[in-house]
Amino acid sequence: MLFVGIDERLSIKDEILLTIRRHVQNGPFRRESGGVLIGRELIEGNLVVVEHMTSPMPRDRRGRHFFDRRDASHVVFYNELNKDECIYAYIGEWHTHPERSPEPSVKDLRNWSRIRGEDFARSVQYHAIAGTYEIGFWAFGPADKQVSLMARRKWGDLGL
Amino acid sequence: MGLQAEFEKFDEKIRLSDSDLEDLRTKRDVLLGKLRDSDDLPVFKEFSQGSYAMHLGVKPTDDREFDIDVALRFQVDKEEADPFEYKQTIYDILKHHTEYGATIKNPCVTVTYKKDGEAAYHVDLVSYAYDDHLDADGQMYIAKGKTGEDSYWEAADPVKLVDYINDAIEEGEKREQFRRVIRYLKQWKMRKFASDGHGEPPSIGITLIAADHFTFHKDNDLQAVIDVSKAIQDMFFTADNDENGDPVYDIQLGLPNSLRFEPGNDVFEKMSEHQKTGFKKKVDKLVRDLDAVAKEPDLAEQCRKLSKIFGNDFSIPSVSETSKKQVPFIPATSSSG
Ligand SMILES: [Zn+2]
């Protein structure tokens, strides 16, 4: 899918969306899932291509209403991608919500704000929350606490 | 480098250049010398026709041969000439010229050469006569047929056809794009159709449709090739339904009315309905695949899709060529709720 972000466009590869969709909390006992979104900024066309991601790892803490990314494997994966040449940027986090149309929780906003403060590479992060019916992408930044919904799509409309 | 530069790089790789044909032209000149020296043939003027003369040649893929088309305009009136006699004479003169010999085909006599033990090139010699050979601008006729019995003279206008294509689009960047687009489509055709039989649509058909429907798109060969592909798609019409009730398609196209070819001609006449339906399906897929390229925002991915359509000569830039360098950063942890 393609959407317009803050002064740039984002292309999310189908494989990324398909992986996230597999983790959707569509059963009463499914726990939250999450990971990071990784992409390349193209030299031409003002485009960010999100084509890598991580998924829940054994040492992450997961419950019906929380996902705490704690396993070091997420960072290891990112560093491995950039081993030869550093062209991959951290784009943001993704996680699931046990609701149809997701909205960021207070905990999410606090988390995103902290990340915005830490990220010295990019001034805006894009975070995804996957509900059972829809997925949303929120931009956080460039100003502190500036959060905006950039795209919201029904799973069925993505042509996956 | 953007997509247009990738298209132009691709064209550089596939287009037939002067040097590719140097060898073949030398061979052609030897053949023509032999024919000229013969007392059994009337005087003729040669003329280069075919895709190379129209600047539309592409290098053959491994399973195909380089070819060159030469028109022999015999300075005779067709009323006084037998349509098979000259072809037979050409054949007799050249049949031992190469190991592969010569073959009489419906529109020409073909002389094949090998390179490293395999057929590598051929020269097609096409015979013409005039209504009145003293009127060089008068009606010409091509000698058709494979035997003395089935041969006949058919009205043709080969010189004007080459001019028609060469002058179809105004000179400069528009004409250059027009020629590139046809070369792309010929490359596509070569890859998607078997070289044997008539399953492959004739290049002149695609070339004429392009000449009539080409629209210039500055620095955008992708859009230009999409437009022509859609124009080809629009030429098909439903002729019938097969036993399963699926549509059977037809496509017909006459040579331009302004030229003096046999009335009622159809450049697709040699294709069966089954082959035309196969052609239609391939064009439908081409249009779908090109539309997907147009929708794809990522250059490297566009090129990957294009290399599936046009082959490996369409190169795919590496991610490091097309991506900005990054300062590595990733938050060590995250807490979502
Ligand atoms: Zn949340």
Side-chain angles (χ1 to χ4, degrees):
Chain A
M1 70 179 270
L2 186 68
F3 67 87
V4 177
I6 308 286
D7 297 329
E8 60 197 354
R9 295 175 307 150
L10 284 94
S11 168
I12 317 290
K13 294 269 177 170
D14 284 353
E15 301 85 80
I16 302 291
L17 296 166
L18 283 164
T19 304
I20 295 176
R21 192 176 65 177
R22 279 203 295 278
H23 290 278
V24 158
Q25 290 174 273
N26 51 7
F29 305 109
R30 297 197 76 175
R31 298 176 294 169
E32 276 194 15
S33 295
V36 298
L37 300 171
I38 300 165
R40 287 182 290 121
E41 287 181 65
L42 299 198
I43 292 167
E44 283 186 40
N46 223 10
L47 182 75
V48 177
V49 179
V50 177
E51 61 186 8
H52 289 290
M53 65 182 294
T54 62
S55 296
M57 306 282 185
R59 292 202 171 81
D60 294 329
R61 294 181 205 147
R62 304 169 63 188
R64 182 70 182 159
H65 294 281
F66 67 92
F67 177 82
D68 290 341
R69 181 165 66 75
R70 291 293 179 274
D71 198 306
S73 310
H74 299 273
V75 176
V76 170
F77 177 82
Y78 173 80
N79 290 335
E80 194 64 27
L81 275 180
N82 278 328
K83 200 173 60 181
D84 296 329
E85 201 173 10
C86 191
I87 53 171
Y88 287 100
Y90 166 80
I91 303 301
E93 301 287 325
W94 72 272
H95 71 284
T96 58
H97 272 189
E99 57 183 340
R100 272 170 65 86
S101 300
E103 290 296 340
S105 65
V106 175
K107 187 179 174 186
D108 292 334
L109 293 171
R110 205 185 306 132
N111 185 48
W112 295 350
S113 172
R114 176 186 62 83
I115 291 170
R116 166 72 202 88
E118 281 181 23
D119 192 342
F120 52 86
R122 285 176 53 84
S123 57
V124 178
Q125 296 77 44
Y126 299 91
H127 304 289
I129 307 178
T132 56
Y133 184 60
E134 291 179 329
I135 181 170
F137 285 84
W138 285 264
F140 203 99
D144 190 24
K145 304 262 168 10
Q146 182 187 340
V147 57
S148 16
L149 175 68
M150 308 300 335
R152 185 190 278 286
R153 300 284 157 80
K154 297 179 183 66
W155 287 111
D157 289 348
L158 285 168
L160 297 174
Chain B
M1 220 167 58
L3 186 62
Q4 182 58 23
E6 296 294 340
F7 263 106
E8 289 178 22
K9 240 167 59 185
F10 169 57
D11 181 58
E12 276 297 310
K13 287 192 205 162
I14 62 168
R15 72 190 295 173
L16 202 54
S17 65
D18 279 342
S19 59
D20 292 322
L21 286 181
E22 210 172 281
D23 221 9
L24 195 48
R25 268 199 304 268
T26 311
K27 290 179 162 60
R28 173 199 63 188
D29 291 343
V30 173
L31 295 184
L32 294 177
K34 279 198 160 188
L35 299 178
R36 267 209 185 88
D37 291 345
S38 164
D39 294 331
D40 299 328
L41 284 175
V43 173
F44 61 84
K45 287 184 184 156
E46 65 181 79
F47 161 73
S48 185
Q49 61 178 42
S51 64
Y52 185 70
M54 298 173 188
H55 311 275
L56 301 173
V58 291
K59 293 184 181 109
T61 48
D62 289 345
D63 54 331
R64 293 169 191 243
E65 298 168 17
F66 281 97
D67 71 340
I68 195 160
D69 284 6
V70 187
L72 307 178
R73 291 178 289 169
F74 289 106
Q75 301 300 298
V76 295
D77 299 350
K78 69 146 171 128
E79 290 307 326
E80 289 152 23
D82 181 281
F84 190 64
E85 190 191 325
Y86 301 147
K87 285 168 81 173
Q88 180 68 52
T89 307
I90 293 168
Y91 172 80
D92 289 339
I93 296 169
L94 300 176
K95 66 184 170 194
H96 299 305
H97 184 73
T98 73
E99 265 180 82
Y100 268 36
T103 319
I104 299 183
K105 294 183 179 169
N106 188 45
C108 60
V109 178
T110 299
V111 180
T112 303
Y113 295 82
K114 33 180 176 179
K115 191 178 185 179
D116 309 325
E118 288 189 29
Y121 329 90
H122 63 262
V123 177
D124 287 334
L125 300 161
V126 188
S127 303
Y128 292 94
Y130 290 87
D131 232 354
D132 171 4
H133 74 278
L134 299 176
D135 175 13
D137 293 326
Q139 180 70 57
M140 285 172 69
Y141 296 85
I142 178 172
K144 283 210 167 166
K146 286 187 193 171
T147 65
E149 285 74 53
D150 73 356
S151 290
Y152 56 97
W153 291 112
E154 183 182 292
D157 204 355
V159 183
K160 289 278 166 50
L161 179 60
V162 171
D163 290 346
Y164 181 89
I165 300 301
N166 281 341
D167 301 336
I169 305 299
E170 84 181 71
E171 201 176 350
E173 56 178 353
K174 293 180 184 172
R175 187 180 288 177
E176 290 305 312
Q177 183 175 65
F178 166 71
R179 289 175 178 171
R180 286 196 302 272
V181 163
I182 295 176
R183 288 192 290 263
Y184 302 154
L185 290 171
K186 289 174 80 167
Q187 178 75 9
W188 165 79
K189 184 165 81 84
M190 222 168 17
R191 294 187 66 251
K192 305 290 177 181
F193 293 86
S195 54
D196 49 348
H198 297 300
E200 180 175 359
S203 291
I204 188 65
I206 285 172
T207 302
L208 286 169
I209 297 171
D212 293 342
H213 297 275
F214 171 78
T215 319
F216 176 64
H217 292 276
K218 189 163 176 62
D219 295 330
N220 191 349
D221 283 8
L222 175 62
Q223 195 53 52
V225 74
I226 287 175
D227 282 2
V228 173
S229 304
K230 287 186 174 165
I232 298 170
Q233 193 180 33
D234 288 345
M235 297 282 297
F236 287 92
F237 57 94
T238 311
D240 203 356
N241 289 299
D242 65 14
E243 59 273 26
N244 303 320
D246 294 325
V248 171
Y249 291 96
D250 199 355
I251 182 169
Q252 294 173 2
L253 182 66
L255 288 156
N257 282 327
S258 56
L259 308 182
R260 294 167 298 176
F261 285 91
E262 194 72 26
N265 67 73
D266 172 15
V267 298
F268 295 110
E269 69 184 353
K270 286 185 193 144
M271 295 178 79
S272 67
E273 281 187 334
H274 176 72
Q275 287 164 339
K276 288 174 174 179
T277 302
F279 177 25
K280 160 89 160 64
K281 285 181 181 156
K282 287 185 162 73
V283 172
D284 288 346
K285 178 163 168 48
L286 173 67
V287 168
R288 273 199 310 276
D289 291 349
L290 288 172
D291 275 339
V293 174
K295 285 206 190 82
E296 171 60 55
D298 175 11
L299 172 66
E301 189 58 35
Q302 284 184 308
C303 293
R304 200 167 294 126
K305 287 179 179 354
L306 286 163
S307 76
K308 285 192 185 136
I309 301 171
F310 295 116
N312 292 336
D313 285 328
F314 207 108
S315 57
I316 304 166
S318 68
V319 288
S320 62
E321 274 175 79
T322 55
S323 309
K324 292 181 191 171
K325 300 283 172 288
Q326 298 291 335
V327 181
F329 165 79
I330 178 172
T333 63
S334 159
S335 302
S336 307

